[in-house]
Amino acid sequence: MEVRVFLVEDLLRMRGLLDDMFASLGGIRVVAAATTEAEARLWLDENPGEWDVAVLDLVLEQGVGMNLIRHCKKVRPDGHVVVFSGFATPGVRKHCLELGADAVIDKAETASLIGLFDDLRKKVNAGP
């Protein structure tokens, strides 16, 4: 079984890099991507059961990824929310976790993101 990812990232190059990384890991598929907060909210509302993990950048073309954390948990309480941002300072990290994020990873810590997805993929494949 695949881990389905909803990606909220406004930089085309970063989306491409993440797509490549997920493809190389195997068992992970990006099901949709959004570049703005409004676009992400709309997709989440229309597809509540179509994702397992939301990967959110904090600084978007329009809007803020931080505002999406609670919305993700509202539409899919069992979904995982991962903030992947270049602004993951200790204060931002704490606030995101308080809002309901399952993990906050700085974009400089790609190995941590890979490890997190490796663990998620194993859990999904292990089944109930």
Side-chain angles (χ1 to χ4, degrees), residues 2-4 20 26 28-29 33 40-43 46 48 52 67-68 74-76 81-82 87 90-91 101 123 126-127:
E2 288 182 315
V3 175
R4 300 168 300 166
D20 290 346
I28 302 167
R29 181 173 52 97
R41 283 180 181 275
L42 180 63
W43 191 89
E46 292 179 350
D52 302 306
N67 294 337
L68 295 169
K74 180 180 137 196
V75 298
R76 176 117 194 237
V81 177
V82 178
F87 298 94
K123 285 179 188 174

Side-chain angles (χ1 to χ4, degrees), residues 23-60:
S24 72
L25 292 172
I28 302 167
R29 181 173 52 97
V30 176
V31 293
T35 60
T36 68
E37 181 180 341
E39 185 181 13
R41 283 180 181 275
L42 180 63
W43 191 89
L44 287 164
D45 289 342
E46 292 179 350
N47 302 278
E50 299 302 313
W51 59 279
D52 302 306
V53 182
V55 177
L56 311 175
D57 188 13
L58 294 178
V59 180
L60 301 172

Side-chain angles (χ1 to χ4, degrees), residues 9 12 24 27 33 43 54 60 84 94 98 104 108 114 119 124:
E9 170 63 65
L12 183 59
S24 72
W43 191 89
L60 301 172
F84 188 58
K94 181 178 185 275
E98 288 171 351
V104 181
I114 291 169
D119 290 345
V124 166

Side-chain angles (χ1 to χ4, degrees), residues 107-126:
K107 285 184 176 177
E109 302 169 355
T110 308
S112 296
L113 185 66
I114 291 169
L116 182 137
F117 271 93
D118 194 40
D119 290 345
L120 286 172
R121 190 180 59 217
K122 288 174 186 171
K123 285 179 188 174
V124 166
N125 289 325

